[in-house]
Amino acid sequence: MKKKWLGIRVAAGLCAALGWWGLLYPELALTPDTVKVSAQDNDGTVTTRNQEWSFDGTLYLELLNADREQITIRSRLLTELKELFKSFNGS
């Protein structure tokens, strides 16, 4: 049981450390691989906008000034873990 909690604490510490660097250096965390800008039409269709990527862009400031409803956060790690648990549990 202690090993399980130790593993959880190590994983949480690793995630916190990676998140900390994302706060200090957002230009390293906001890359074309991690951020996709999408727009939703009135009829509900979502389209991804292609944009030129540069570290000098204003994406970080736009994210800071956006409303809660305008931002959707998805984690590939959490999505993969959810699929893994579904495969083990059969649900």
Coordinates of all heavy atoms in Angstrom, one line a residue:
M1 N 0.8 -1.2 0.0 CA 0.0 0.0 0.0 C 0.9 1.3 0.0 O 0.5 2.2 -0.7 CB -0.9 0.0 1.2 CG -1.9 1.0 1.3 SD -3.1 0.8 0.0 CE -4.3 2.0 0.3
K2 N 2.0 1.2 0.7 CA 2.9 2.4 0.8 C 3.5 2.7 -0.6 O 3.7 3.8 -1.0 CB 4.0 2.2 1.8 CG 3.5 2.3 3.2 CD 4.6 2.2 4.2 CE 4.1 2.3 5.6 NZ 5.2 2.3 6.6
K3 N 3.8 1.6 -1.3 CA 4.4 1.8 -2.7 C 3.4 2.5 -3.6 O 3.8 3.3 -4.5 CB 4.8 0.4 -3.3 CG 6.1 -0.1 -2.6 CD 6.6 -1.3 -3.3 CE 7.8 -1.9 -2.6 NZ 8.3 -3.0 -3.3
K4 N 2.1 2.1 -3.5 CA 1.1 2.7 -4.3 C 1.0 4.2 -4.0 O 1.0 5.0 -5.0 CB -0.2 2.1 -4.0 CG -1.4 2.7 -4.8 CD -2.7 2.0 -4.4 CE -3.9 2.6 -5.1 NZ -5.1 2.0 -4.8
W5 N 1.0 4.6 -2.8 CA 0.9 6.0 -2.5 C 2.2 6.8 -2.8 O 2.2 7.9 -3.3 CB 0.6 6.2 -1.0 CG -0.8 6.0 -0.7 CD1 -1.3 4.9 0.0 CD2 -1.9 6.7 -1.1 NE1 -2.7 5.0 0.1 CE2 -3.1 6.1 -0.6 CE3 -2.1 7.9 -1.8 CZ2 -4.4 6.6 -0.9 CZ3 -3.4 8.4 -2.1 CH2 -4.5 7.7 -1.6
L6 N 3.3 6.1 -2.7 CA 4.6 6.7 -3.2 C 4.6 6.9 -4.7 O 5.0 8.0 -5.1 CB 5.8 5.8 -2.8 CG 7.2 6.3 -3.2 CD1 7.5 7.6 -2.5 CD2 8.2 5.3 -2.9
G7 N 4.1 6.0 -5.4 CA 4.0 6.2 -6.9 C 3.0 7.3 -7.2 O 3.3 8.1 -8.1
I8 N 1.9 7.4 -6.5 CA 1.0 8.5 -6.8 C 1.6 9.9 -6.4 O 1.5 10.9 -7.2 CB -0.3 8.3 -6.0 CG1 -1.1 7.1 -6.5 CG2 -1.2 9.6 -6.0 CD1 -2.3 6.7 -5.7
R9 N 2.4 9.9 -5.3 CA 3.0 11.2 -4.9 C 4.1 11.6 -5.9 O 4.3 12.8 -6.3 CB 3.6 11.0 -3.5 CG 2.5 11.0 -2.5 CD 3.1 10.8 -1.1 NE 4.1 11.8 -0.7 CZ 4.8 11.7 0.3 NH1 4.8 10.6 1.1 NH2 5.7 12.6 0.6
V10 N 4.9 10.6 -6.4 CA 5.9 10.9 -7.4 C 5.3 11.4 -8.7 O 5.7 12.4 -9.3 CB 6.8 9.6 -7.7 CG1 7.6 9.8 -8.9 CG2 7.6 9.3 -6.4
A11 N 4.2 10.7 -9.2 CA 3.5 11.2 -10.4 C 2.9 12.6 -10.2 O 3.1 13.4 -11.1 CB 2.4 10.2 -10.7
A12 N 2.4 12.9 -9.1 CA 1.8 14.2 -8.8 C 2.9 15.3 -8.7 O 2.8 16.4 -9.3 CB 1.0 14.2 -7.5
G13 N 4.0 14.9 -8.1 CA 5.2 15.8 -8.1 C 5.8 16.1 -9.5 O 6.1 17.2 -9.8
L14 N 5.8 15.1 -10.3 CA 6.3 15.2 -11.7 C 5.4 16.2 -12.5 O 5.9 17.1 -13.2 CB 6.5 13.9 -12.3 CG 7.0 13.9 -13.8 CD1 8.4 14.4 -13.8 CD2 7.0 12.5 -14.3
C15 N 4.1 15.9 -12.4 CA 3.1 16.8 -13.1 C 3.2 18.2 -12.6 O 3.1 19.2 -13.4 CB 1.7 16.3 -12.9 SG 1.4 14.8 -13.8
A16 N 3.4 18.4 -11.3 CA 3.5 19.8 -10.7 C 4.8 20.5 -11.2 O 4.8 21.6 -11.5 CB 3.5 19.7 -9.2
A17 N 5.9 19.7 -11.3 CA 7.2 20.3 -11.8 C 7.0 20.7 -13.2 O 7.5 21.8 -13.6 CB 8.3 19.3 -11.6
L18 N 6.4 19.8 -14.0 CA 6.2 20.2 -15.4 C 5.3 21.4 -15.6 O 5.5 22.2 -16.4 CB 5.7 19.0 -16.2 CG 6.7 17.8 -16.4 CD1 6.0 16.6 -17.0 CD2 7.9 18.2 -17.1
G19 N 4.3 21.5 -14.8 CA 3.4 22.6 -14.8 C 4.0 23.9 -14.4 O 3.8 25.0 -14.9
W20 N 4.9 23.8 -13.4 CA 5.7 25.0 -13.0 C 6.5 25.6 -14.1 O 6.5 26.8 -14.3 CB 6.5 24.6 -11.8 CG 7.4 25.7 -11.3 CD1 8.7 25.8 -11.4 CD2 7.0 26.8 -10.6 NE1 9.2 26.9 -10.8 CE2 8.1 27.6 -10.3 CE3 5.7 27.3 -10.2 CZ2 8.0 28.8 -9.6 CZ3 5.7 28.5 -9.5 CH2 6.8 29.2 -9.2
W21 N 7.2 24.7 -14.8 CA 8.0 25.3 -16.0 C 7.1 25.9 -17.0 O 7.5 26.8 -17.7 CB 8.9 24.2 -16.6 CG 10.0 23.9 -15.7 CD1 10.3 22.8 -15.0 CD2 11.1 24.8 -15.4 NE1 11.4 22.9 -14.2 CE2 12.0 24.1 -14.5 CE3 11.5 26.1 -15.8 CZ2 13.1 24.7 -14.0 CZ3 12.6 26.6 -15.3 CH2 13.4 26.0 -14.4
G22 N 5.9 25.4 -17.2 CA 4.9 26.0 -18.1 C 4.5 27.3 -17.7 O 4.2 28.2 -18.5
L23 N 4.4 27.6 -16.4 CA 4.1 28.9 -15.9 C 5.2 29.9 -16.0 O 5.1 31.0 -16.3 CB 3.7 28.8 -14.4 CG 2.3 28.2 -14.1 CD1 2.1 28.1 -12.6 CD2 1.2 29.0 -14.7
L24 N 6.5 29.4 -15.8 CA 7.6 30.3 -15.9 C 8.0 30.6 -17.3 O 8.3 31.8 -17.6 CB 8.9 29.6 -15.3 CG 8.9 29.5 -13.7 CD1 10.1 28.8 -13.2 CD2 8.8 30.9 -13.1
Y25 N 7.8 29.6 -18.2 CA 8.2 29.8 -19.6 C 7.0 29.4 -20.5 O 7.1 28.3 -21.1 CB 9.5 29.0 -20.0 CG 10.6 29.4 -19.1 CD1 11.1 28.6 -18.1 CD2 11.3 30.6 -19.4 CE1 12.2 28.9 -17.4 CE2 12.4 31.0 -18.6 CZ 12.8 30.1 -17.6 OH 13.9 30.5 -16.9
P26 N 6.0 30.2 -20.6 CA 4.8 29.7 -21.4 C 5.1 29.5 -22.9 O 4.5 28.7 -23.5 CB 3.8 30.9 -21.2 CG 4.6 32.0 -20.7 CD 5.8 31.5 -20.0
E27 N 6.1 30.2 -23.4 CA 6.4 30.1 -24.8 C 7.0 28.7 -25.1 O 6.9 28.2 -26.2 CB 7.4 31.1 -25.3 CG 8.8 31.1 -24.7 CD 8.8 31.9 -23.4 OE1 7.8 32.4 -22.9 OE2 9.9 31.9 -22.8
L28 N 7.5 28.0 -24.1 CA 8.0 26.6 -24.2 C 6.8 25.6 -24.1 O 6.9 24.5 -24.6 CB 9.1 26.3 -23.2 CG 10.3 27.1 -23.4 CD1 11.3 26.7 -22.3 CD2 11.0 26.9 -24.7
A29 N 5.8 26.0 -23.4 CA 4.6 25.1 -23.2 C 3.6 25.3 -24.3 O 2.9 24.3 -24.6 CB 4.0 25.3 -21.8
L30 N 3.5 26.4 -24.8 CA 2.5 26.7 -25.9 C 3.1 26.5 -27.3 O 3.5 27.5 -27.9 CB 1.9 28.1 -25.7 CG 1.2 28.4 -24.4 CD1 0.8 29.9 -24.3 CD2 0.0 27.5 -24.3
T31 N 3.2 25.3 -27.7 CA 3.8 25.0 -29.0 C 2.7 24.6 -30.0 O 1.5 24.3 -29.6 CB 4.8 23.9 -28.9 OG1 4.1 22.7 -28.4 CG2 5.9 24.3 -27.9
P32 N 3.0 24.5 -31.3 CA 2.0 24.1 -32.2 C 1.4 22.7 -31.9 O 0.3 22.3 -32.3 CB 2.7 24.1 -33.6 CG 3.8 25.0 -33.4 CD 4.2 24.9 -31.9
D33 N 2.2 21.8 -31.3 CA 1.8 20.5 -30.9 C 0.8 20.5 -29.7 O 0.0 19.5 -29.6 CB 3.0 19.6 -30.6 CG 3.9 19.4 -31.7 OD1 3.4 19.5 -32.9 OD2 5.1 19.2 -31.5
T34 N 0.9 21.5 -28.9 CA 0.0 21.5 -27.7 C -1.2 22.4 -27.7 O -2.1 22.3 -26.9 CB 0.9 21.9 -26.5 OG1 1.4 23.2 -26.7 CG2 2.0 20.9 -26.2
V35 N -1.2 23.3 -28.7 CA -2.3 24.3 -28.7 C -2.9 24.3 -30.1 O -2.2 24.4 -31.1 CB -1.8 25.7 -28.4 CG1 -2.9 26.7 -28.6 CG2 -1.2 25.8 -27.0
K36 N -4.2 24.1 -30.1 CA -5.0 24.3 -31.4 C -6.1 25.3 -31.2 O -6.8 25.3 -30.2 CB -5.7 22.9 -31.8 CG -4.7 21.9 -32.2 CD -5.4 20.6 -32.5 CE -4.4 19.5 -32.9 NZ -5.0 18.3 -33.1
V37 N -6.2 26.2 -32.1 CA -7.2 27.3 -32.0 C -8.3 26.9 -32.8 O -8.2 26.6 -34.0 CB -6.6 28.7 -32.4 CG1 -7.6 29.7 -32.4 CG2 -5.4 29.0 -31.6
S38 N -9.5 26.8 -32.2 CA -10.7 26.4 -32.9 C -11.8 27.4 -32.7 O -11.8 28.2 -31.7 CB -11.2 25.0 -32.4 OG -10.3 24.0 -32.5
A39 N -12.8 27.4 -33.6 CA -13.9 28.4 -33.6 C -15.2 27.6 -33.7 O -15.2 26.6 -34.5 CB -13.8 29.4 -34.6
Q40 N -16.2 27.9 -32.9 CA -17.5 27.2 -33.0 C -18.5 28.2 -33.7 O -18.7 29.3 -33.2 CB -17.9 26.8 -31.6 CG -19.2 26.0 -31.7 CD -19.5 25.4 -30.3 OE1 -18.9 25.7 -29.3 NE2 -20.6 24.7 -30.2
D41 N -19.2 27.6 -34.7 CA -20.2 28.4 -35.4 C -21.5 28.4 -34.6 O -21.6 27.7 -33.6 CB -20.5 27.9 -36.8 CG -19.2 28.0 -37.7 OD1 -18.4 28.8 -37.4 OD2 -19.1 27.2 -38.6
N42 N -22.5 29.2 -35.1 CA -23.8 29.2 -34.4 C -24.5 27.9 -34.5 O -25.3 27.6 -33.6 CB -24.7 30.3 -35.0 CG -24.1 31.7 -34.7 OD1 -23.4 31.9 -33.7 ND2 -24.5 32.7 -35.5
D43 N -24.3 27.1 -35.5 CA -24.9 25.8 -35.6 C -24.2 24.7 -34.9 O -24.7 23.6 -34.9 CB -25.1 25.4 -37.1 CG -23.8 25.4 -37.8 OD1 -22.8 25.7 -37.2 OD2 -23.8 24.9 -39.0
G44 N -23.1 25.0 -34.2 CA -22.4 24.1 -33.4 C -21.3 23.4 -34.0 O -20.6 22.5 -33.3
T45 N -20.9 23.7 -35.2 CA -19.8 23.0 -35.9 C -18.5 23.7 -35.4 O -18.4 24.9 -35.3 CB -19.9 23.0 -37.4 OG1 -20.0 24.4 -37.8 CG2 -21.1 22.3 -37.9
V46 N -17.5 22.9 -35.2 CA -16.2 23.4 -34.7 C -15.2 23.3 -35.8 O -15.0 22.2 -36.4 CB -15.7 22.6 -33.5 CG1 -14.4 23.1 -33.0 CG2 -16.7 22.7 -32.3
T47 N -14.5 24.4 -36.1 CA -13.5 24.4 -37.2 C -12.2 24.8 -36.5 O -12.2 25.7 -35.7 CB -13.8 25.3 -38.3 OG1 -14.1 26.6 -37.8 CG2 -15.1 24.9 -39.0
T48 N -11.1 24.1 -36.9 CA -9.8 24.5 -36.4 C -9.2 25.5 -37.3 O -9.2 25.4 -38.5 CB -8.9 23.2 -36.4 OG1 -9.5 22.3 -35.5 CG2 -7.5 23.6 -35.8
R49 N -8.7 26.6 -36.7 CA -8.1 27.7 -37.5 C -6.6 27.4 -37.7 O -5.9 27.2 -36.7 CB -8.3 29.0 -36.9 CG -9.7 29.5 -36.9 CD -9.8 30.9 -36.5 NE -9.7 31.0 -35.0 CZ -9.6 32.1 -34.3 NH1 -9.5 33.2 -34.9 NH2 -9.4 32.0 -33.0
N50 N -6.1 27.4 -38.9 CA -4.6 27.3 -39.1 C -4.0 28.7 -39.0 O -4.5 29.6 -39.6 CB -4.4 26.7 -40.5 CG -4.8 25.2 -40.6 OD1 -4.9 24.5 -39.6 ND2 -5.2 24.8 -41.8
Q51 N -3.0 28.8 -38.3 CA -2.3 30.1 -38.1 C -0.8 29.9 -38.2 O -0.3 28.8 -37.8 CB -2.7 30.7 -36.8 CG -2.4 30.0 -35.6 CD -2.9 30.7 -34.3 OE1 -3.7 31.5 -34.4 NE2 -2.3 30.3 -33.2
E52 N -0.2 30.9 -38.6 CA 1.3 30.9 -38.6 C 1.7 30.9 -37.1 O 1.2 31.7 -36.3 CB 1.8 32.1 -39.3 CG 1.6 32.1 -40.8 CD 2.4 31.0 -41.5 OE1 3.5 30.7 -41.1 OE2 1.8 30.4 -42.4
W53 N 2.7 30.2 -36.8 CA 3.2 30.1 -35.4 C 4.5 30.8 -35.2 O 5.4 30.7 -36.0 CB 3.4 28.6 -35.1 CG 3.5 28.4 -33.6 CD1 4.7 28.4 -32.9 CD2 2.5 28.3 -32.6 NE1 4.4 28.2 -31.6 CE2 3.1 28.1 -31.4 CE3 1.1 28.2 -32.7 CZ2 2.4 28.0 -30.2 CZ3 0.4 28.1 -31.6 CH2 1.0 28.0 -30.4
S54 N 4.5 31.6 -34.2 CA 5.8 32.3 -33.8 C 5.8 32.5 -32.3 O 4.7 32.7 -31.7 CB 5.9 33.7 -34.5 OG 4.9 34.5 -34.0
F55 N 6.9 32.5 -31.7 CA 7.0 32.6 -30.3 C 6.8 34.1 -29.9 O 6.5 34.4 -28.8 CB 8.4 32.2 -29.8 CG 8.6 30.7 -29.7 CD1 9.6 30.1 -30.4 CD2 7.7 30.0 -29.0 CE1 9.8 28.8 -30.3 CE2 7.9 28.6 -28.9 CZ 8.9 28.0 -29.6
D56 N 6.9 35.0 -30.8 CA 6.6 36.4 -30.5 C 5.1 36.8 -30.7 O 4.8 37.9 -30.5 CB 7.4 37.3 -31.5 CG 8.9 37.1 -31.2 OD1 9.3 36.7 -30.1 OD2 9.7 37.2 -32.2
G57 N 4.3 35.8 -31.0 CA 2.9 36.0 -31.2 C 2.2 36.4 -29.9 O 2.7 36.4 -28.8
T58 N 0.9 36.7 -30.0 CA 0.1 37.2 -28.9 C -0.8 36.1 -28.3 O -1.7 36.4 -27.6 CB -0.7 38.4 -29.3 OG1 -1.6 38.0 -30.3 CG2 0.1 39.5 -29.7
L59 N -0.5 34.8 -28.6 CA -1.4 33.7 -28.2 C -1.5 33.7 -26.6 O -2.6 33.5 -26.1 CB -0.9 32.4 -28.7 CG -1.7 31.2 -28.2 CD1 -3.1 31.2 -28.7 CD2 -1.0 29.9 -28.7
Y60 N -0.4 33.8 -26.0 CA -0.4 33.8 -24.5 C -1.2 34.9 -23.9 O -2.0 34.6 -23.0 CB 1.1 33.8 -24.0 CG 1.2 33.7 -22.5 CD1 0.8 32.6 -21.8 CD2 1.6 34.8 -21.7 CE1 0.8 32.5 -20.4 CE2 1.7 34.7 -20.3 CZ 1.3 33.6 -19.7 OH 1.4 33.5 -18.3
L61 N -1.1 36.1 -24.4 CA -1.9 37.2 -23.9 C -3.4 37.0 -24.2 O -4.2 37.4 -23.4 CB -1.4 38.5 -24.5 CG 0.0 38.9 -24.0 CD1 0.5 40.2 -24.7 CD2 0.1 39.0 -22.5
E62 N -3.7 36.4 -25.4 CA -5.1 36.2 -25.8 C -5.7 35.1 -24.8 O -6.8 35.2 -24.4 CB -5.2 35.7 -27.2 CG -4.9 36.8 -28.2 CD -4.9 36.2 -29.6 OE1 -5.4 35.1 -29.8 OE2 -4.5 37.0 -30.5
L63 N -4.9 34.1 -24.4 CA -5.4 33.1 -23.5 C -5.6 33.7 -22.1 O -6.6 33.4 -21.4 CB -4.4 32.0 -23.4 CG -4.3 31.0 -24.6 CD1 -3.2 30.0 -24.4 CD2 -5.6 30.3 -24.7
L64 N -4.8 34.6 -21.7 CA -4.9 35.3 -20.4 C -6.2 36.1 -20.4 O -6.9 36.2 -19.3 CB -3.7 36.2 -20.1 CG -2.5 35.4 -19.6 CD1 -1.4 36.4 -19.4 CD2 -2.7 34.6 -18.4
N65 N -6.5 36.8 -21.5 CA -7.7 37.7 -21.5 C -9.0 37.0 -21.9 O -10.0 37.6 -22.0 CB -7.4 38.8 -22.5 CG -6.3 39.7 -21.9 OD1 -6.2 39.9 -20.7 ND2 -5.5 40.2 -22.8
A66 N -9.0 35.7 -22.2 CA -10.2 35.0 -22.7 C -11.1 34.7 -21.5 O -10.6 34.5 -20.4 CB -9.8 33.7 -23.4
D67 N -12.4 34.5 -21.8 CA -13.4 34.1 -20.8 C -13.3 32.6 -20.6 O -12.7 31.9 -21.4 CB -14.8 34.5 -21.3 CG -15.0 36.0 -21.3 OD1 -14.3 36.7 -20.6 OD2 -15.8 36.4 -22.1
R68 N -13.8 32.2 -19.5 CA -13.9 30.7 -19.2 C -14.5 29.9 -20.3 O -14.1 28.8 -20.6 CB -14.6 30.5 -17.9 CG -13.7 30.6 -16.7 CD -14.5 30.2 -15.5 NE -13.8 30.7 -14.3 CZ -13.8 30.1 -13.2 NH1 -14.4 29.0 -13.0 NH2 -13.1 30.7 -12.2
E69 N -15.6 30.4 -20.8 CA -16.4 29.7 -21.8 C -15.6 29.6 -23.2 O -15.9 28.7 -24.0 CB -17.7 30.4 -22.1 CG -18.6 30.4 -20.9 CD -18.4 31.5 -19.9 OE1 -17.8 32.5 -20.4 OE2 -18.7 31.3 -18.8
Q70 N -14.6 30.4 -23.4 CA -13.8 30.4 -24.6 C -12.7 29.4 -24.6 O -12.1 29.1 -25.7 CB -13.3 31.8 -24.9 CG -14.3 32.8 -25.2 CD -13.7 34.2 -25.4 OE1 -12.8 34.6 -24.6 NE2 -14.2 34.9 -26.3
I71 N -12.3 28.8 -23.5 CA -11.2 27.9 -23.4 C -11.6 26.5 -23.0 O -12.4 26.3 -22.1 CB -10.2 28.4 -22.4 CG1 -9.6 29.8 -22.8 CG2 -9.0 27.4 -22.2 CD1 -8.7 30.4 -21.8
T72 N -11.2 25.5 -23.8 CA -11.4 24.1 -23.5 C -10.1 23.5 -23.3 O -9.2 23.5 -24.2 CB -12.2 23.5 -24.6 OG1 -13.4 24.2 -24.8 CG2 -12.5 22.0 -24.3
I73 N -9.9 22.8 -22.2 CA -8.6 22.2 -21.9 C -8.7 20.7 -22.1 O -9.7 20.1 -21.5 CB -8.1 22.5 -20.5 CG1 -7.9 24.0 -20.4 CG2 -6.8 21.8 -20.2 CD1 -7.5 24.5 -19.0
R74 N -7.9 20.1 -22.9 CA -7.9 18.7 -23.1 C -6.5 18.2 -22.8 O -5.5 18.8 -23.2 CB -8.2 18.3 -24.5 CG -9.7 18.6 -24.8 CD -10.0 18.0 -26.1 NE -11.1 18.8 -26.7 CZ -11.4 18.9 -27.9 NH1 -10.7 18.3 -28.8 NH2 -12.5 19.6 -28.3
S75 N -6.4 17.1 -22.1 CA -5.1 16.5 -21.8 C -5.0 15.1 -22.5 O -5.8 14.2 -22.3 CB -4.9 16.3 -20.3 OG -3.8 15.5 -20.0
R76 N -4.0 15.0 -23.3 CA -3.8 13.7 -24.0 C -3.5 12.6 -23.0 O -3.9 11.5 -23.1 CB -2.7 13.8 -25.0 CG -2.5 12.6 -25.9 CD -1.5 12.8 -27.0 NE -1.5 11.7 -27.8 CZ -0.8 11.6 -28.9 NH1 -0.1 12.7 -29.3 NH2 -0.9 10.5 -29.7
L77 N -2.7 12.9 -22.0 CA -2.3 12.0 -20.9 C -3.6 11.5 -20.2 O -3.8 10.2 -20.1 CB -1.4 12.6 -19.9 CG -1.0 11.7 -18.7 CD1 -0.3 10.5 -19.1 CD2 -0.3 12.5 -17.7
L78 N -4.5 12.4 -19.8 CA -5.7 12.0 -19.1 C -6.6 11.2 -20.1 O -7.3 10.3 -19.6 CB -6.4 13.2 -18.6 CG -5.7 13.9 -17.4 CD1 -6.4 15.1 -17.0 CD2 -5.4 13.0 -16.3
T79 N -6.7 11.6 -21.3 CA -7.5 10.8 -22.3 C -7.0 9.4 -22.5 O -7.8 8.4 -22.5 CB -7.5 11.5 -23.7 OG1 -7.9 12.9 -23.5 CG2 -8.4 10.8 -24.7
E80 N -5.7 9.2 -22.6 CA -5.1 7.9 -22.7 C -5.3 7.1 -21.4 O -5.6 5.9 -21.5 CB -3.6 8.0 -23.0 CG -3.3 8.6 -24.4 CD -3.8 7.8 -25.5 OE1 -3.8 6.5 -25.4 OE2 -4.2 8.4 -26.5
L81 N -5.2 7.7 -20.3 CA -5.4 7.0 -19.0 C -6.9 6.5 -18.9 O -7.1 5.4 -18.4 CB -5.0 7.9 -17.8 CG -3.5 8.0 -17.5 CD1 -3.3 9.0 -16.4 CD2 -2.9 6.7 -17.2
K82 N -7.8 7.4 -19.3 CA -9.2 7.0 -19.3 C -9.5 5.8 -20.2 O -10.2 4.9 -19.8 CB -10.0 8.2 -19.8 CG -11.5 8.0 -19.8 CD -12.2 9.3 -20.3 CE -13.7 9.1 -20.4 NZ -14.4 10.3 -20.9
E83 N -8.9 5.8 -21.4 CA -9.0 4.7 -22.3 C -8.4 3.4 -21.7 O -8.9 2.3 -21.8 CB -8.4 5.0 -23.6 CG -9.1 6.0 -24.4 CD -10.6 5.6 -24.7 OE1 -10.8 4.5 -25.1 OE2 -11.4 6.5 -24.6
L84 N -7.3 3.6 -21.0 CA -6.6 2.4 -20.4 C -7.5 1.8 -19.3 O -7.7 0.6 -19.2 CB -5.3 2.8 -19.8 CG -4.5 1.7 -19.1 CD1 -4.0 0.7 -20.1 CD2 -3.3 2.3 -18.3
F85 N -8.1 2.7 -18.4 CA -9.0 2.2 -17.4 C -10.2 1.6 -18.0 O -10.7 0.6 -17.4 CB -9.3 3.3 -16.4 CG -8.2 3.7 -15.5 CD1 -7.8 5.0 -15.4 CD2 -7.5 2.8 -14.8 CE1 -6.8 5.4 -14.5 CE2 -6.5 3.1 -13.9 CZ -6.1 4.4 -13.8
K86 N -10.7 2.1 -19.1 CA -11.9 1.5 -19.7 C -11.6 0.1 -20.2 O -12.4 -0.8 -20.1 CB -12.4 2.4 -20.9 CG -13.2 3.5 -20.5 CD -13.7 4.2 -21.8 CE -14.6 5.4 -21.5 NZ -15.0 6.0 -22.8
S87 N -10.4 -0.1 -20.8 CA -10.0 -1.4 -21.3 C -9.9 -2.4 -20.2 O -10.2 -3.6 -20.4 CB -8.8 -1.3 -22.1 OG -7.7 -1.0 -21.3
F88 N -9.4 -2.0 -19.0 CA -9.2 -2.9 -17.9 C -10.6 -3.2 -17.2 O -10.8 -4.3 -16.8 CB -8.3 -2.4 -16.9 CG -6.8 -2.6 -17.3 CD1 -6.0 -1.5 -17.2 CD2 -6.3 -3.8 -17.7 CE1 -4.6 -1.7 -17.6 CE2 -5.0 -4.0 -18.0 CZ -4.2 -2.9 -18.0
N89 N -11.4 -2.2 -17.1 CA -12.7 -2.4 -16.4 C -13.8 -2.9 -17.4 O -14.8 -3.4 -16.9 CB -13.1 -1.1 -15.8 CG -12.2 -0.7 -14.7 OD1 -11.6 -1.5 -14.1 ND2 -12.1 0.6 -14.4
G90 N -13.6 -2.8 -18.6 CA -14.6 -3.2 -19.6 C -15.9 -2.4 -19.7 O -16.9 -2.8 -20.1
S91 N -15.8 -1.1 -19.2 CA -16.9 -0.2 -19.2 C -16.6 0.9 -20.1 O -15.6 1.3 -20.5 CB -17.3 0.3 -17.8 OG -16.2 1.0 -17.3

